[in-house]
C-alpha cells in the first residue's frame, strides 16, 4: 500500500509542478486585477498540494524520525502562510507572483534537503526564517524612500572592503579563499557584495553616460572581478563581469562596449586557465570526466549518472543515490532533483526561474527612473545567470563554477542574499506601480476637469 501511494504521489508531484509552472506564465496575460488574484490563489493552492505530496512520500519512505518529518512539514506550512500574509496585508501592492515563486523555490529546497540531510534542512529553515524576518523592512525602504542613487561611492567602497576582507580573516573552502569564519559561522562575502555591486553600477551609470564616468565605473568593476579571481572564486568573477556588461549595454546603448568586454573577458579566461591548476582540473573534467573519474571528474560524472538514471519521471523521493555526488546539498542539488523528481520536473524548475527573471525584467521596464530600472535589470541578470552557471555546471554544458542554485541549494550566505534580492525587487515593483497609479489618477482627474 505504501508503495502504491508513493508511486501515485510521484506523479502528482510532477503534475502539480507542471500546472504551477504553466500558471507562472498565464498570469502575465492581460486581465483585470480580480482575475489575476483568482489565478494567483489557484497557483498558491498548487504550491501547497505539491509540498504536501513531497512530504507525504518522505514520511512514508522514512523509517526513523517520522515525527520529525511531520513537525518540520507543518513548520514549513506555517512559514509559507506567514510570508503570504506578510506581503498580502503589509505590502498589498507587492507582486504576488514573485512571492509565490520565492515560496515554491524555498519549499523545494527544504524538501530536497530533508531527503539529503535532515539536520542541514532544519538549519536552512532557521536561516531562511531569520532572513525573511530581517528583510521584511526592505520593500518598504526601497518602495518609499528616494535618493538611492546618491550613495554610489558608499556602495562601491563598502562592497570592495568587504570583498578584500577575506585576505585578512578569510578561510579556504573548495579551493577558493572567499569565506570568512566568525566562530562556528561561515560567511561568503561575495554573496552580499554582489548586491552592493549592482547598487554601485546602477547609481554610477544612471548618474552619467560620459566617457570619463564609464571609465571610472569600469575600473572599479574590474577591481571587484580581479579580487574575485585572486580569491580563486572564478564563478563569482564571471557573474560580476556579465552583470556589469549587460547593465553597461542597457545604460549606454553602445554594443561596442559589450563586445569589447566579451573579448577582454575571453582573453582573461584563457590567462586564468594557465594560472590556476584547479581551473585546469575543472576544464579537463568538463571535456572528458570519464577519463579522470577517479579524480577531478568524479563529481560531474556522478552528476551525469544521477540525471541519466532519473529519466523523465524520476526514481521518486528517497529512491535514488544522490549522496554519491560530492557537495550535492549545495553546488549539485539540481542533479539530485533531476534524479529523484525527474528531468521533466527539472525543466519545470528552470521555467519557474525564467518566470522570475521575466518578472524582474518587467519591473525594470515599468520603472521610468534610470537607477531603479538598472537595479531591477541588474538583479534579474544576476539571478538568471547564477541559475545558468549552476545548472550548466552540473549538466556538463559548461565547466563547473561552484555556484549555488538560488533559494534551493543549501548555504546560509546564498539563501540570505537571494531573499534580500527578492525583497529589493518587491520594493522596486511597489515603486513602479506607485508611479503608474499616480499617473493613472492624474489622467482621470484631467478628463473629469
Amino acid at each position: 500500500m505504501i508503495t502504491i501511494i508513493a508511486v501515485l504521489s510521484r506523479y502528482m508531484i510532477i503534475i502539480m509542478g507542471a500546472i504551477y509552472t504553466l500558471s507562472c506564465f498565464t498570469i502575465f496575460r492581460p486581465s483585470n486585477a480580480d482575475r489575476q488574484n483568482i489565478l494567483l490563489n489557484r497557483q498558491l493552492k498548487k504550491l501547497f498540494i505539491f509540498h504536501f505530496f513531497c512530504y507525504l512520500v518522505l514520511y512514508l519512505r522514512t523509517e526513523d524520525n517520522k515525527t520529525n518529518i511531520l513537525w518540520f512539514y507543518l513548520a514549513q506550512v506555517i512559514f509559507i502562510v506567514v510570508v503570504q500574509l506578510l506581503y498580502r496585508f503589509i505590502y498589498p501592492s507587492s507582486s504576488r507572483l514573485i512571492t509565490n515563486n520565492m515560496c515554491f523555490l524555498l519549499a523545494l529546497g527544504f524538501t530536497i534537503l530533508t531527503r539529503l540531510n535532515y539536520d542541514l534542512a532544519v538549519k536552512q529553515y532557521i536561516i531562511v526564517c531569520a532572513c525573511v524576518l530581517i528583510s521584511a523592512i526592505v520593500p518598504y525602504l526601497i518602495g518609499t524612500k528616494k535618493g538611492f542613487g546618491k550613495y554610489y561611492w558608499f556602495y562601491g567602497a563598502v562592497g570592495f572592503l568587504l570583498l578584500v576582507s577575506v585576505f585578512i580573516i578569510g578561510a579556504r573552502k573548495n579551493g577558493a579563499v572567499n569565506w570568512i569564519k566568525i566562530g562556528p559561522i561561515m560567511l561568503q562575502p561575495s554573496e552580499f557584495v554582489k548586491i552592493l555591486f549592482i547598487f554601485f553600477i546602477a547609481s554610477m551609470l544612471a548618474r552619467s553616460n560620459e566617457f570619463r564616468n564609464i571609465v571610472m565605473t569600469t575600473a572599479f568593476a574590474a577591481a571587484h572581478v580581479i579580487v574575485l579571481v585572486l580569491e580563486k572564486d572564478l564563478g563569482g568573477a564571471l557573474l560580476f563581469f556579465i552583470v556589469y556588461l549587460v547593465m553597461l549595454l542597457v545604460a549606454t546603448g553602445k554594443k561596442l562596449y559589450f563586445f569589447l568586454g566579451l573579448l577582454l573577458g575571453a582573453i582573461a579566461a584563457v590567462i586564468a586557465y594557465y594560472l590556476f591548476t584547479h581551473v585546469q582540473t575543472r576544464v579537463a573534467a568538463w571535456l572528458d570526466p570519464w577519463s579522470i573519474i577517479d579524480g577531478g571528474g568524479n563529481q560531474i560524472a556522478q552528476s551525469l549518472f544521477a540525471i541519466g538514471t532519473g529519466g523523465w519521471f524520476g526514481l521518486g523521493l528517497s529512491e535514488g543515490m544522490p549522496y554519491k555526488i560530492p557537495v550535492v546539498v549545495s553546488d549539485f542539488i539540481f542533479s539530485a532533483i533531476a534524479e529523484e523528481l525527474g528531468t521533466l520536473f527539472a525543466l519545470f524548475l528552470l521555467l519557474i526561474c525564467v518566470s522570475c527573471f521575466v518578472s524582474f525584467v518587467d519591473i525594470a521596464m515599468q520603472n521610468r527612473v534610470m537607477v531603479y530600472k538598472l537595479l531591477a535589470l541588474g538583479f534579474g541578470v544576476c539571478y538568471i545567470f547564477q541559475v545558468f552557471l549552476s545548472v550548466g555546471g552540473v549538466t556538463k554544458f559548461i565547466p563547473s563554477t561552484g555556484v549555488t542554485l538560488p533559494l534551493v541549494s543549501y548555504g546560509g550566505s546564498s539563501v540570505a542574499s537571494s531573499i534580500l534580492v527578492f525583497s529589493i525587487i518587491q520594493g522596486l515593483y511597489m515603486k513602479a506601480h506607485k508611479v503608474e497609479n499616480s499617473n493613472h489618477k492624474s489622467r482621470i482627474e484631467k478628463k473629469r476637469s
Side-chain angles (χ1 to χ4, degrees):
M1 187 65 181
I2 292 178
T3 303
I4 295 174
I5 295 174
V7 171
L8 292 176
S9 298
R10 182 178 65 177
Y11 290 105
M12 282 300 299
I13 289 169
I14 296 173
I15 292 170
M16 288 300 106
I19 297 173
Y20 182 92
T21 303
L22 180 63
S23 67
C24 288
F25 295 94
T26 55
I27 287 171
F28 286 111
R29 292 184 302 180
S31 59
N32 58 48
D34 292 335
R35 177 60 182 167
Q36 277 200 341
N37 280 327
I38 292 173
L39 292 175
L40 287 163
N41 287 334
R42 290 176 180 173
Q43 184 186 53
L44 185 60
K45 290 178 182 177
K46 303 301 182 296
L47 189 162
F48 280 115
I49 296 172
F50 161 80
H51 189 231
F52 168 77
F53 278 106
C54 284
Y55 271 86
L56 175 62
V57 175
L58 289 175
Y59 181 82
L60 294 175
R61 291 297 187 188
T62 301
E63 296 181 1
D64 301 322
N65 299 323
K66 284 182 177 288
T67 305
N68 290 343
I69 297 291
L70 179 60
W71 282 112
F72 190 41
Y73 163 73
L74 293 175
Q76 291 173 49
V77 171
I78 293 171
F79 166 78
I80 295 172
V81 171
V82 169
V83 171
Q84 291 290 331
L85 293 176
L86 172 70
Y87 279 97
R88 190 174 302 187
F89 293 104
I90 298 181
Y91 300 120
S93 58
S94 63
S95 170
R96 286 190 60 195
L97 175 60
I98 293 176
T99 304
N100 286 354
N101 282 349
M102 183 180 76
C103 290
F104 184 93
L105 294 172
L106 287 171
L108 175 61
F110 293 144
T111 299
I112 298 300
L113 288 175
T114 301
R115 185 271 179 269
L116 295 172
N117 189 315
Y118 176 78
D119 292 335
L120 289 183
V122 173
K123 185 178 178 181
Q124 180 94 330
Y125 175 81
I126 294 171
I127 293 171
V128 167
C129 290
C131 292
V132 168
L133 183 63
I134 294 171
S135 64
I137 191 68
V138 173
Y140 169 78
L141 295 175
I142 299 294
T144 59
K145 304 300 180 182
K146 297 180 180 179
F148 287 99
K150 298 177 182 178
Y151 309 106
Y152 41 90
W153 286 119
F154 171 79
Y155 304 137
V158 173
F160 189 74
L161 289 174
L162 189 59
L163 200 62
V164 299
S165 65
V166 297
F167 294 119
I168 303 172
I169 55 174
R172 182 180 294 274
K173 185 177 180 181
N174 297 329
V177 190
N178 59 342
W179 293 81
I180 293 176
K181 188 173 183 179
I182 305 174
I185 301 174
M186 291 280 285
L187 296 176
Q188 190 173 8
S190 60
E191 288 287 349
F192 302 98
V193 173
K194 69 185 179 186
I195 297 174
L196 292 170
F197 178 78
I198 292 171
F199 267 92
F200 168 74
I201 300 301
S203 302
M204 288 292 286
L205 294 179
R207 175 170 166 260
S208 172
N209 278 339
E210 293 180 0
F211 184 73
R212 181 173 176 271
N213 187 65
I214 291 174
V215 169
M216 287 193 302
T217 308
T218 302
F220 210 70
H224 282 72
V225 174
I226 291 171
V227 170
L228 287 167
V229 171
L230 294 176
E231 295 175 3
K232 297 185 180 180
D233 183 8
L234 301 187
L238 183 58
L239 183 64
F240 278 54
F241 176 71
I242 293 298
V243 168
Y244 174 66
L245 282 186
V246 174
M247 292 178 72
L248 180 64
L249 174 63
V250 172
T252 62
K254 296 183 178 180
K255 297 179 181 178
L256 176 63
Y257 292 156
F258 182 78
F259 289 110
L260 181 60
L262 287 180
L263 177 61
L264 294 174
I267 295 172
V270 174
I271 295 173
Y273 173 80
Y274 287 103
L275 286 178
F276 303 110
T277 55
H278 81 284
V279 176
Q280 296 171 13
T281 302
R282 289 186 177 184
V283 171
W286 170 58
L287 293 173
D288 186 12
W290 318 111
S291 64
I292 51 174
I293 193 170
D294 293 329
N298 180 55
Q299 192 173 39
I300 184 64
Q302 293 296 340
S303 173
L304 295 176
F305 279 136
I307 295 171
T309 303
W312 286 107
F313 300 102
L315 298 175
L317 284 170
S318 300
E319 294 297 311
M321 295 185 289
Y323 48 82
K324 286 192 173 183
I325 308 170
V327 204
V328 66
V329 295
S330 54
D331 299 355
F332 279 71
I333 199 166
F334 184 81
S335 304
I337 293 171
E339 180 181 13
E340 301 208 331
L341 298 183
T343 302
L344 268 179
F345 185 87
L347 292 174
F348 298 150
L349 170 59
L350 292 180
L351 288 174
I352 292 170
C353 294
V354 170
S355 77
C356 291
F357 172 67
V358 171
S359 297
F360 288 13
V361 173
D362 183 53
I363 293 169
M365 295 175 66
Q366 291 176 24
N367 269 291
R368 296 184 179 181
V369 180
M370 181 55 73
V371 65
Y372 303 133
K373 183 184 294 292
L374 290 175
L375 280 174
L377 175 71
F379 286 121
V381 173
C382 181
Y383 172 78
I384 200 63
F385 194 68
Q386 185 171 339
V387 172
F388 169 76
L389 290 177
S390 178
V391 176
V394 304
T395 56
K396 197 179 169 292
F397 186 76
I398 59 173
S400 176
T401 56
V403 174
T404 55
L405 189 59
L407 297 177
V408 180
S409 295
Y410 172 76
S413 299
S414 175
V415 76
S417 65
S418 297
I419 290 172
L420 185 55
V421 166
F422 272 69
S423 299
I424 293 170
I425 285 294
Q426 288 284 19
L428 294 172
Y429 178 89
M430 291 161 54
K431 188 177 287 292
H433 281 258
K434 183 179 180 181
V435 173
E436 182 181 336
N437 292 335
S438 298
N439 293 336
H440 180 67
K441 289 180 181 179
S442 299
R443 288 194 295 269
I444 293 176
E445 289 176 358
K446 286 181 180 179
K447 287 182 180 179
R448 288 178 177 176
S449 60

